[in-house]
Amino acid sequence: MSYLPAPEQPPATTPSVGARLQTDGKLRLRPNGAGSVLRVLLKRPFYLTVAITLLLIAALRFPVVAGQGAVSLSRAGHEDLTFWVNHNGLDQIDVEGEIGFGDMARLLMRRRSNAARMQALRDRFVFKVREFDKLDAPDLLRPGNPPYVIAQNRIFNLLSVRAGKGVAYKVFETQPGTGSGAMVKRTFDGVEAAFDVRPLARLRVKIVDENGKPAAARLYLTAADGLAYAPRGAISRFAALPAEPYFHARGSFEMDLPAGETTIEATRGLEYELVTKQVRLHPQAPTDVTLGLKRWTNMAATNWYSSDAHIHANYTADHHQVVTAQDVQLYAHAEDLHYANMMVANSFGAFLHDTALFSGKPHPLSTRDYVLYWNEEMRNAGLYGHMCLFNLKRLVEPLYTGFAGTPQSDDYPPNFTQAKAARAQGGAVTYAHPGYAPTLDGASARELPVDLALGEVDAMDVLSNNPEEVALDLWYKLLNCGFRLGISAGTDSFTNVADHYTPGGGRVYAHLAGRMNPIDWVRAFRQGRTFATNGPMISLRVQDREPGDEIHLPSGPQRIPVVLKVDSKVPIDKIELIVNGKPFPGITSTITLDRSSWIAVRATGPAHRLVLNDTAAFAHTSPVYVYLGKQPIASPGDAKFFVQWIDGLIQRVGQRGRFSTPERKREVVELFTRARDIYQRKAQE
């Protein structure tokens, strides 16, 4: 999870056609509690003084900024309406009277046609604005609105903004209007509204794969009333960037919906097309639909298997821990995610989420092709950053550091110690959500340059819930210093929160020698035989070697053959060969290198409905490393950048670090100084 400010969104780009190219060239607010605490402080000046002092210290240590925290924006007691997930599906929401901004916005998001309007108000899943008058959806109660289609004997939420507040009226009609085509008319605060009351009709859906066998999928179900639905037993969630509801299901489902035109859409992860069926439901008899999933590519056929490095089944609070291993198995199958790397972690205190699911091996619900593995997010409160760990036999303790008021309030041990312990037991380490600006102040992964220089980091989540352009800037600089660092992807999805990231919406593929198994997958991940993507499929061969490989050639300029391939069902508008962090001019079958270099491929495109978590389509390979003679890959300027970075980090440790003994602080400073010396030598090469 990250706590840094979100950047301004770039202007929308013009959609382009899909591309295919081959060339041989967690926070829950309790408003009612805050008021009572304030009243106590005002009555006791001593406690007020202490509280202010602590707040000032906290502000100095960790400046208060907006970020990507999961905040309900609900009125007290309303968090269960739309914020937390449940297994009740989605058919009606029983609420009446004043509601919070978050619930009002999510109720409006239930109407699929409101998606574009809601996207404009959001930064990923976070609302950039929180004023009710900005929720200018056409279905809000207004004079002269066309009739609302509603279901008979179902609650319909009629929404209105009054005096800067959100109001939900509960409409429940047991009978349709009298006469042919007649509407039921009601008046709400002097505004008349008409309702086209439809009887319920049964829809029965089967989901099959390309071989005709029952399959799991992500589904979008839109009824004749324009609202999204999910069957009983399913978890209804919102896709962050498209701002629309979906659910996962396996094999079949059925439910009652208002009669009329109904749209059912299904897909499965990134490698399947979106299948759409439109049917007309009649109350007289059930309507049967079969959705046949269709692949547009099959990466596993060539031994490429995907993972999301950073998923939280349950997170953000010590309650609403409702997502089960069975739910996670459904997510993995429905998103075609071969390695679901699940996190045991704290959030804001000492409570650890999902420790009962950790066993030091794949969960028993794993299959040959789909692995569920509870591992660990090692989290420091602000100085060092967060790491996602793979393939643990035992949890690396402590699981968190630097959290005031907990048993692990010290910023000790440093992340290096934890990363080393994870790798010593056969695990792998990737730094999560690098940050919102490529600076020490704007970054989250502040200790990454240290741990990489000292040899205890395997990868970096270049594709995450932070801007890719920021992660690329840092990643390229680190690679230019001559280090090997593979690409990774982690969504940081909280699956017990309804409006949050979709697991597998961004993912990292690893190339194995054979069929999927977690040991070989982690080995390939550590070797950097990887690419990250939220849609496009991308590959690279340099002199017939793949990402993660090293090529050693004689000194002097060398012409090298390059083969890249990009396939995509989402639009892409730029494909680039990246050499030492810079786009190589044009797409060509050979390139000439005059110094040791790393080479990778990058593809980008505009936002798209099927790019679930990110503001743009993105794919990037890990590098192929090419060495000419004994010359290292080097960039003195980038090395100097990290000398200054670590100087700043050491200063932060001295000013803001929390250590119970001088020896602990000295140990951390000495460790960071060792890494600084490595960059200093590289800066002088």
Side-chain angles (χ1 to χ4, degrees), residues 73-75 78 98-105 132 166:
L73 300 179
S74 299
R75 285 173 59 82
H78 279 186
E98 186 177 347
I99 58 176
F101 179 90
D103 290 313
M104 181 115 172
F132 284 95

Side-chain angles (χ1 to χ4, degrees), residues 488-653:
S488 181
T491 61
D492 201 5
S493 173
F494 308 169
T495 67
N496 63 327
V497 175
D499 188 8
H500 208 267
Y501 299 115
T502 300
R507 58 185 66 191
V508 54
Y509 281 82
H511 194 202
L512 280 60
R515 290 292 300 271
M516 172 65 190
N517 74 76
I519 302 299
D520 289 347
W521 194 96
V522 169
R523 182 181 297 114
F525 180 78
R526 290 183 62 162
Q527 292 169 342
R529 302 188 186 282
T530 51
F531 72 91
T533 181
N534 58 24
M537 298 296 151
I538 189 168
S539 66
L540 171 68
R541 305 287 298 186
V542 178
Q543 201 166 322
D544 205 32
R545 305 299 294 272
E546 67 176 345
D549 281 339
E550 295 183 0
I551 300 173
H552 293 268
L553 300 173
S555 299
Q558 299 288 337
R559 286 179 60 83
I560 301 174
V562 175
V563 178
L564 63 91
K565 179 182 178 183
V566 179
D567 294 334
S568 187
K569 279 295 180 180
V570 299
I572 56 175
D573 49 26
K574 188 179 290 186
I575 300 169
E576 298 169 297
L577 190 68
I578 306 298
V579 180
N580 294 334
K582 304 293 184 182
F584 192 86
I587 299 295
T588 179
S589 59
T590 61
I591 62 173
T592 299
L593 299 179
D594 58 7
R595 63 189 178 100
S596 295
S597 303
W598 60 266
I599 303 170
V601 176
R602 179 174 74 197
T604 54
H608 187 271
R609 183 187 181 196
L610 295 181
V611 177
L612 300 178
N613 299 336
D614 299 290
T615 57
F618 176 89
H620 206 304
T621 68
S622 285
V624 176
Y625 305 88
V626 183
Y627 298 95
L628 305 185
K630 296 182 179 180
Q631 181 188 60
I633 297 171
S635 171
D638 290 324
K640 183 177 179 181
F641 174 86
F642 288 112
V643 170
Q644 296 169 347
W645 178 293
I646 297 174
D647 283 342
L649 182 59
I650 291 172
Q651 184 178 30
R652 278 175 174 260
V653 168

Side-chain angles (χ1 to χ4, degrees), residues 23-277:
T23 177
D24 296 323
K26 308 162 195 144
L27 176 59
R28 185 182 187 220
L29 298 181
R30 299 179 182 273
N32 54 335
S36 59
V37 171
L38 181 59
R39 285 191 293 271
V40 170
L41 292 175
L42 289 174
K43 291 178 181 179
R44 291 171 170 79
F46 170 76
Y47 294 125
L48 179 60
T49 302
V50 172
I52 292 173
T53 302
L54 290 173
L55 286 172
L56 289 172
I57 293 171
L60 175 65
R61 180 177 165 82
F62 307 118
V64 178
V65 292
Q68 293 277 319
V71 182
S72 71
L73 300 179
S74 299
R75 285 173 59 82
H78 279 186
E79 292 88 350
D80 284 327
L81 289 178
T82 64
F83 180 69
W84 297 109
V85 303
N86 55 57
H87 293 82
N88 299 330
L90 178 60
D91 55 10
Q92 62 182 1
I93 297 175
D94 190 355
V95 62
E96 189 170 27
E98 186 177 347
I99 58 176
F101 179 90
D103 290 313
M104 181 115 172
R106 289 185 287 269
L107 286 171
L108 289 171
M109 284 164 57
R110 187 183 174 192
R111 185 172 296 277
R112 195 111 24 213
S113 61
N114 285 336
R117 292 179 179 86
M118 304 309 293
Q119 290 166 20
L121 304 179
R122 291 158 64 89
D123 169 22
R124 303 189 186 222
F125 72 90
V126 176
F127 286 97
K128 297 181 290 185
V129 300
R130 299 179 182 183
E131 294 83 29
F132 284 95
D133 58 2
K134 300 293 177 60
L135 296 173
D136 189 25
D139 47 333
L140 291 173
L141 176 64
R142 292 186 179 93
N145 268 5
Y148 297 91
V149 176
I150 68 173
Q152 186 176 346
N153 295 315
R154 284 260 178 86
I155 295 170
F156 173 76
N157 306 119
L158 180 61
L159 304 174
S160 176
V161 176
R162 294 187 322 191
K165 296 181 178 180
V167 177
Y169 300 100
K170 184 162 64 174
V171 181
F172 187 88
E173 299 294 340
T174 60
Q175 297 295 329
T178 58
S180 177
M183 302 291 158
V184 173
K185 296 183 178 180
R186 305 288 184 219
T187 300
F188 304 87
D189 286 333
V191 179
E192 184 178 79
F195 301 95
D196 177 1
V197 183
R198 305 282 183 90
L200 293 174
R202 178 55 60 98
L203 172 68
R204 301 190 298 210
V205 178
K206 291 183 179 179
I207 311 157
V208 297
D209 64 15
E210 59 271 30
N211 300 312
K213 296 181 179 180
R218 179 183 352 117
L219 294 113
Y220 307 85
L221 176 57
T222 311
D225 56 7
L227 301 180
Y229 283 83
R232 201 77 177 170
I235 292 176
S236 178
R237 302 188 77 230
F238 295 92
L241 260 294
E244 62 172 336
Y246 69 89
F247 65 94
H248 294 116
R250 187 195 308 275
S252 65
F253 69 89
E254 57 184 81
M255 72 178 303
D256 293 327
L257 300 169
E261 291 292 336
T262 302
T263 302
I264 314 104
E265 302 168 284
T267 188
R268 190 178 184 215
L270 305 185
E271 300 179 31
Y272 284 77
E273 297 180 1
L274 182 68
V275 177
T276 302
K277 289 285 184 76

